[in-house]
Amino acid sequence: MELSKSHQRYYDKLRERVESFIKEKGISDQIAHYVLLAPDLFVLLARLLVDKRVSTSSKATAAFAVAYFISPVDLIPEVITGPIGYLDDIVLAVYALRKILIDTDQVIVLEHWNGKDDLLQVITNTIQKADDLVGSNILKKIESLLFNKTKGK
């Protein structure tokens, strides 16, 4: 699927920024792989927002994740950490997609995916590595944001 011009500009700008940071800082290949998911996940969520086949509740989840990507205020701020700060955005996006896939046909979600890797494998791998990527405290906060979990549960 082709990106709209505005999505393409954002996608290109974000990917260029991330790739430049990775080269400049010598980020490990494993972390770089996850950080480079940011543009693909952002565009996927933005596309789901405008797809008429996606339920209102799933669109609300996608909107929350898109807003989190855009917001300068988040758990690992990009302003301070550079693109490494996208790790919390990526984990939140993957958890949001897992939630969206509960009531959205997988075929619809996959139609909007432009990433190189298999999306379902990306979701599985990222969830398995989430604690390593962002730490347990941030992971608990992300789960709380998306699934209304409280500390006692």
Side-chain angles (χ1 to χ4, degrees), residues 61-91:
T61 300
F64 177 76
V66 166
Y68 191 84
F69 260 107
I70 294 170
S71 175
V73 179
D74 59 13
L75 298 170
I76 306 175
E78 293 83 33
V79 172
I80 296 169
T81 62
I84 292 299
Y86 286 120
L87 288 174
D88 63 322
D89 302 54
I90 291 161
V91 171

Side-chain angles (χ1 to χ4, degrees), residues 76 107 120 130:
I76 306 175
V107 172
L120 300 178

Side-chain angles (χ1 to χ4, degrees), residues 30-31 34-35 37 41 68-69 74-78 81-95 125-146:
Q30 183 181 11
I31 297 295
Y34 286 102
V35 174
L37 290 172
L41 292 168
Y68 191 84
F69 260 107
D74 59 13
L75 298 170
I76 306 175
E78 293 83 33
T81 62
I84 292 299
Y86 286 120
L87 288 174
D88 63 322
D89 302 54
I90 291 161
V91 171
L92 185 131
V94 165
Y95 272 81
N125 292 346
T126 306
I127 288 172
Q128 288 174 346
K129 292 294 249 175
D131 192 38
D132 293 337
L133 293 170
V134 298
S136 60
N137 288 337
I138 289 176
L139 184 57
K140 287 176 188 173
K141 289 176 183 176
I142 289 170
E143 289 174 341
S144 175
L145 288 169
L146 278 170

